[in-house]
Each structure stands twice: as C-alpha cells, then as structure tokens.
Amino acid sequence: MARDLIQIRRGNEVDLPSLAQGELGYTLDTKELFVGGLSGNEIIGKDLSLLPIFIKPSGGDDTTIIQNALIDADNSIAKKLIFTSGEYSYDTSLGSLDIPSNLTLVFEKDAIIKPINGLFFINTTSKNNITLIGGKIEGEGAYVSGEHLIKFNNCTNIIIKEMEIEKSGAIGLKLFNCSDCFININSHNNYFYGAEDEEGVNNLWFYCKFNNNGDTGVETSTTGRGLVIWKGDHIKVDNCEIKNNNEYGYRIYSESGDVKTTNYCILSNSYFENNGTLSNPLDIYLYDQSGINNNQFINLQMKRTIVGNFISNQGTNNLFENIIMQGNLSVLQAGIFNFGAYDCMISNISIKNVTQAIAFSPSQTSYGNIITNVKAENIKKFSEIYGSGGKNTFENCIGIHDSVTAISGENGILQQDNGEMILKNCEMYNFHSQYYTNQLTGVTILGCIGKGGIYANMRANITDFSGWKYGNNDMGDFASNNILRYANINIINKGMKFKSTGNPQSVYSTITFAVGDEAELYTPTAGNYSKYKCITAGTPGTWKGTEQLEV
C-alpha cells in the first residue's frame, strides 16, 4: 500500500497566504520555499535541488513518471531518487533506464518494480558511482533471449545493497566489464542465472543469496545457475548462500578462444546445498578452456542429498581449503572431482557419506596436485587416480569405509595408470584393498597405515618393484591381508611392520625383506621371542628375535 505523503501549502507566489509560524509554503511559479515567521512569510530557499526527488506509484503505468523523475534527480544537487512504498509498473518497450553517473536510487520498504514486455528494466553503459538500495525488481518469468532485468556495461563503482531480484526471463543481474563494484542481493527464481559477472575486476559479492534459479514459476530452463564468474580477475564472493539451482550453484570458467582468463578469484565463507537437479549436477564447477588459475575456495559448508558432485575442479594452481561436505551415501556422489587439474592444493577437507571422496577423471589427466589433511568417513572409495605420467601426492589423509564388508572395486586409494604417486602418513580402513596400484615406477609409500582389507591391505598388481620407495608402513595382518597379494612378487619393504605366525625367515621364504622390517607374533609363548627384526636384506633375509617373554 502506498504511503500518504505530507504536503505543504502551495500555489503561485501572488496567491501565497500569510503562513502561521513554522508553517511551510511553496510557490509553484517561482519555485521558492517560505516559512511563517514573527514578521510574516520568510523565504528559506529558492533552489530545491538540494532535496531528493520522491515518487509514488500511480496505480497504473508508471513508466513516464519514473523516467521523468530520473531526469529530475540527475539535474538536482542531491542526486537521489526515492521510490516510496508501493507497486510500480514499468513498460520496458518504452525504453530501459540508463542511470546517470553519481546517482542514488533508494527503494523504500515494500517498493516493488514490475517491468513488463520482457526487456531490460535497467541497462546502463559507461557510468560510474551509482548506488541502488533496497526494493524488489520482479519480472514476468517468461523466457526472453538476452534480456536481463538489470545490466551494467563498462561501469565502475556500482553499489547494489539489500535488493531482491526475481523472475527475470534471462539473468537477474548482469555485470559486463565492470570494476570495483559492491553487490548485496537476493536473486532467485530467474530463468537462467541469479547473476553473472563477466570480465569483471575487483568486484565484491557480499551476503548474497542465489537460490532456485532455472524455475521462475512460469517457465523452467535446464541452465539454472546461482552465480557465474566468467573471465574475472580478483572477484571475491563472500558469505553467500547458494541453493537449489537446477544446473550449477557457482560456475567459474573460461571458454575456448577467450583472450582474458579467470584468475585470483576467491569464494569464501559460503553455504551450498543441492545445486544441480538435472544432468551433470554440481555445486561448484571450475571449467577451464583458456585459463582458470590461482583461485581460492575457502571456508565452505556444503550439503547434498541428491546425486552429483560437490566440486568439479579444472584449472591450475587452485586452492581448496577448510571445506565441510555432507553427502548422502544412497546416491552417487563425489567430494572433489578432478579433470585436467594441475598443481592444485586440496587441504583440510571433511567429507562424509559420499561414494568417492577425491575423484579423478579417466579421460583427462590431472597431475602435480597435493591432497593433504583430508578426512573422509562413511564412504565407498577414497580416491581413484587415472592418468599416465601424473604425479599426485596424498599426505595425512584418512579414509574410512562405510562398513566392514567392502565389495570388489571399493578401494581406499587406487592408482590405475602408470604415473607417479606419493603417499605419506595416510590411513585407510576397511576397504576391499586399502592401497591398490598397477604402477611400475614412481611410487612412494611412507608411514602409511592400512587395516581391515577384505582382499588386501596393500595390493600391487605388478612384478617389478625396482622403482618403488617404501618405509615405516603398517599394513596390519601380513598373513591374511598381506602387502604382497601375488605369490610371484618380490619386494624390498623398508621398515614394514606386520604380524606373523612365526619367524619370518622360515614362514615367508619366498618374500624379499629389507633391513628394519619388523614382525610381531600372533600367539607368542612364554620363554620364546614375541617380535623379530630383519638384520640382513634378502629372500627372506636374516631375522633375529628382539623381545622374549619371561617363563
């Protein structure tokens, strides 16, 4: 409902009556403002341009009212246009608003603009220092190619605060080649995206909401995305909520042939839930065709109850840190899916209830990545690694299968192709095989623990281990879940610990051991040794007892 305005006495100067003390009067012909004083009417202002321009809805078509008010505000010193509460109708076929520089538009509480005829409501080019505060911009919801509710082109220092945008026939808010902007909006239920920032520099998206895009309530698309960053540089997205968009939640990308790349962008302190209800569903999608480099994804909370991946990572030297992912094991999900990811850091990640924690594409090699301090619980697989020549490092990672009856294929860390792999201080529990590799060379496994394997704690499907580096690994029960799954394998295991039915020198005569390997007996007896240590490398080498039980 429109607010009743307070009006003062007005008319031509010749008709101005004697004003009571403190009473205001305004002359329409000379544009002067008077106040009643002790000695009669006193002029207090001849130029009202210091005051903001106020408008109210007419109850009909407000297009001309809004356009004229914008001109008046631009001609004033105040440079401010205030939309009082109520519903405004704006016919976009009569022209979009090209907001002048240095102007502020304030939408009071419950001020709603309803553009009709499917074109831009605001389409502003090459302007600076514009501020929009409050209000709701509500489109018609029907698809319109390329016509967004609000678009700024080649602008600087655009500020949009506390504004709601919905039912655009395309994108809610589009920034193109804009810089140093501050955006705080709730953009939802638009046909395509909540917002897109293309070729932006130093823009901040702060405390925004991007939910339910792809479904306007009138029409539905298959490309509903929350926020899209394309060819951006130093774009920051912070403290945002991105939920239930039907294709992706957040897409940061470069297309083939792009001259500009997407670099040094930050997504932080934000919440994601159930983005992507259609094909290729994703919460966060890095798509690199011309360059996505040095971007950061920090302090995120993510929840999925539907099929799909939390993060799809493509690009170079990107950082993923301090992320919590809560999945649903009854549907196919992956925590972070790498395809063409190079020299990225994945650190301090908590993952629960997913099919695979850290996945790698079999069709596109990823290498040089460091995965550290990742804890994945109640999962089917920790990581399957593909790609010849790829060198990926796992350090201080923990993977725990969802049960003690893992089936074939549900492995902890599986290296499928012939590329380098480094495992340091990792722990895998209750998978079919805790560690499984086909690698001939370039494998390093140091200080790792693997226990509870249904098939093997360490399975190596090769016959030549000359390129391996081993040390201080604990693979649990050597007899039944052994580190050498195949009888024809000989290997030097530096610092391996295992359990044995007796002195390994007699029990495992076909296995090659190294100095420092240690064995503990299952059932030691009084007066006999309970532990043995290899003192001379060989097959099986020379073993000596190290601890003897008292009689």
Side-chain angles (χ1 to χ4, degrees):
M1 178 180 294
R3 187 187 69 186
D4 292 333
L5 299 181
I6 298 175
Q7 297 179 326
I8 62 177
R9 287 180 177 269
R10 60 203 181 280
N12 293 332
E13 185 175 15
V14 67
D15 299 321
L16 186 67
S18 178
L19 301 171
Q21 289 185 20
E23 184 181 17
L24 295 173
Y26 176 61
T27 57
L28 297 173
D29 52 349
T30 61
K31 293 183 170 56
E32 294 172 320
L33 184 64
F34 292 83
V35 65
L38 292 175
S39 57
N41 296 343
E42 299 177 6
I43 187 169
I44 60 173
K46 189 177 176 70
D47 187 357
L48 291 182
S49 65
L50 294 172
L51 301 176
I53 303 298
F54 288 82
I55 59 173
K56 66 178 182 178
S58 66
D61 182 3
D62 299 301
T63 306
T64 302
I65 295 173
I66 294 173
Q67 291 175 341
N68 290 338
L70 190 68
I71 295 172
D72 290 341
D74 186 40
N75 290 330
S76 72
I77 294 175
K79 298 289 185 181
K80 180 180 286 188
L81 172 60
I82 298 177
F83 292 74
T84 59
S85 297
E87 185 175 301
Y88 298 78
S89 177
Y90 188 92
D91 188 347
T92 59
S93 68
L94 300 179
S96 302
L97 292 185
D98 187 358
I99 302 175
S101 293
N102 306 308
L103 203 65
T104 296
L105 274 60
V106 177
F107 300 83
E108 291 188 344
K109 184 180 180 181
D110 300 324
I112 302 174
I113 313 296
K114 290 192 171 182
I116 61 174
N117 290 325
L119 304 177
F120 295 103
F121 168 54
I122 295 174
N123 189 11
T124 297
T125 300
S126 300
K127 304 297 192 305
N128 307 310
N129 308 316
I130 294 171
T131 299
L132 310 180
I133 301 174
K136 178 195 285 189
I137 314 298
E138 181 180 334
E140 298 174 282
Y143 166 67
V144 182
S145 177
E147 302 292 336
H148 320 306
L149 280 177
I150 302 175
K151 185 178 182 183
F152 288 93
N153 311 274
N154 305 304
C155 296
T156 301
N157 195 29
I158 305 301
I159 298 173
I160 306 177
K161 298 193 297 184
E162 301 173 4
M163 175 173 282
E164 183 178 358
I165 304 170
E166 66 171 314
K167 296 184 180 179
S168 169
I171 298 173
L173 169 63
K174 173 69 180 275
L175 302 182
F176 176 74
N177 196 29
C178 294
S179 61
D180 301 308
C181 300
F182 176 90
I183 310 296
N184 162 224
I185 61 173
N186 176 7
S187 187
H188 62 93
N189 294 100
N190 299 290
Y191 188 82
F192 287 132
Y193 317 155
E196 182 177 47
D197 192 336
E198 180 182 352
E199 297 192 22
V201 179
N202 292 325
N203 297 324
L204 172 60
W205 299 77
F206 185 66
Y207 270 102
C208 296
K209 291 184 178 181
F210 303 104
N211 301 331
N212 301 300
N213 291 290
D215 184 357
T216 68
V218 177
E219 291 189 28
T220 301
S221 75
T222 59
T223 51
R225 304 172 186 175
L227 175 61
V228 174
I229 307 298
W230 182 17
K231 297 177 286 185
D233 185 8
H234 288 87
I235 306 298
K236 185 170 184 179
V237 179
D238 188 55
N239 277 286
C240 292
E241 177 187 279
I242 303 179
K243 302 193 308 185
N244 302 316
N245 301 284
N246 72 6
E247 188 181 27
Y248 313 128
Y250 175 81
R251 189 183 200 218
I252 178 170
Y253 75 112
S254 65
E255 293 281 11
S256 177
D258 285 349
V259 176
K260 293 187 66 176
T261 58
T262 300
N263 302 304
Y264 301 104
C265 297
I266 298 175
L267 170 64
S268 59
N269 304 309
S270 297
Y271 178 77
F272 289 78
E273 183 176 333
N274 285 343
N275 294 285
T277 57
L278 304 174
S279 60
N280 196 29
L282 291 166
D283 281 298
I284 298 175
Y285 187 16
L286 286 74
Y287 181 71
D288 181 8
Q289 295 298 298
S290 296
I292 300 180
N293 309 316
N294 305 300
N295 302 291
Q296 299 181 19
F297 303 81
I298 305 171
N299 298 330
L300 307 179
Q301 292 194 32
M302 312 181 75
K303 180 180 179 181
R304 291 191 72 84
T305 60
I306 59 177
V307 68
N309 300 330
F310 287 88
I311 299 174
S312 188
N313 175 31
Q314 189 178 44
T316 302
N317 202 33
N318 297 309
L319 170 66
F320 303 86
E321 187 171 50
N322 297 330
I323 302 175
I324 298 174
M325 302 176 182
Q326 177 71 45
N328 178 5
L329 198 56
S330 65
V331 297
L332 188 64
Q333 295 176 331
I336 299 179
F337 179 75
N338 300 282
F339 68 115
Y342 312 110
D343 301 319
C344 295
M345 172 70 78
I346 299 171
S347 176
N348 296 317
I349 313 294
S350 173
I351 305 173
K352 293 183 178 179
N353 305 328
V354 300
T355 311
Q356 186 172 177
I358 309 294
F360 288 81
S361 170
S363 62
Q364 192 163 0
T365 299
S366 295
Y367 58 79
N369 301 292
I370 298 175
I371 299 94
T372 180
N373 295 308
V374 175
K375 185 176 183 179
E377 303 173 80
N378 207 38
I379 61 175
K380 296 296 184 183
K381 307 174 184 179
F382 188 87
S383 184
E384 288 186 349
I385 310 164
Y386 297 86
S388 179
K391 180 179 181 181
N392 297 288
T393 298
F394 293 80
E395 187 168 2
N396 298 318
C397 293
I398 299 174
I400 304 173
H401 194 272
D402 72 305
S403 71
V404 293
T405 57
I407 63 175
S408 179
E410 295 179 353
N411 301 302
I413 296 179
L414 166 66
Q415 177 77 345
Q416 194 72 288
D417 299 316
N418 190 29
E420 292 186 61
M421 177 177 68
I422 298 173
L423 306 179
K424 293 182 178 180
N425 302 317
C426 293
E427 301 177 31
M428 298 290 140
Y429 299 98
N430 301 330
F431 296 95
H432 194 254
S433 293
Q434 311 308 330
Y435 307 94
Y436 180 12
T437 181
N438 295 322
Q439 296 309 90
L440 296 177
T441 60
V443 173
T444 298
I445 304 180
L446 300 172
C448 292
I449 297 173
K451 294 184 178 181
I454 305 302
Y455 193 63
N457 284 331
M458 169 58 79
R459 179 180 177 185
N461 193 18
I462 58 175
T463 58
D464 180 6
F465 287 82
S466 59
W468 282 45
K469 293 180 181 179
Y470 258 81
N472 301 314
N473 298 300
D474 183 356
M475 293 300 161
D477 187 341
F478 186 75
S480 60
N481 298 310
N482 66 67
I483 197 166
L484 307 174
R485 182 60 196 167
Y486 300 107
N488 64 337
I489 294 178
N490 291 324
I491 180 172
I492 296 177
N493 297 295
K494 299 177 181 178
M496 182 177 67
K497 297 178 181 180
F498 58 92
K499 286 190 174 183
S500 176
T501 56
N503 185 339
Q505 189 168 327
S506 57
V507 176
Y508 304 114
S509 59
T510 61
I511 303 300
T512 301
F513 293 99
V515 173
D517 289 350
E518 296 180 1
E520 181 180 358
L521 297 190
Y522 287 113
T523 55
T525 58
N528 294 307
Y529 289 108
S530 62
K531 293 183 179 180
Y532 290 84
K533 190 170 187 177
C534 182
I535 61 170
T536 304
T539 309
T542 302
W543 290 77
K544 296 294 183 180
T546 59
E547 292 186 17
Q548 190 173 26
L549 297 181
E550 293 182 1
V551 177

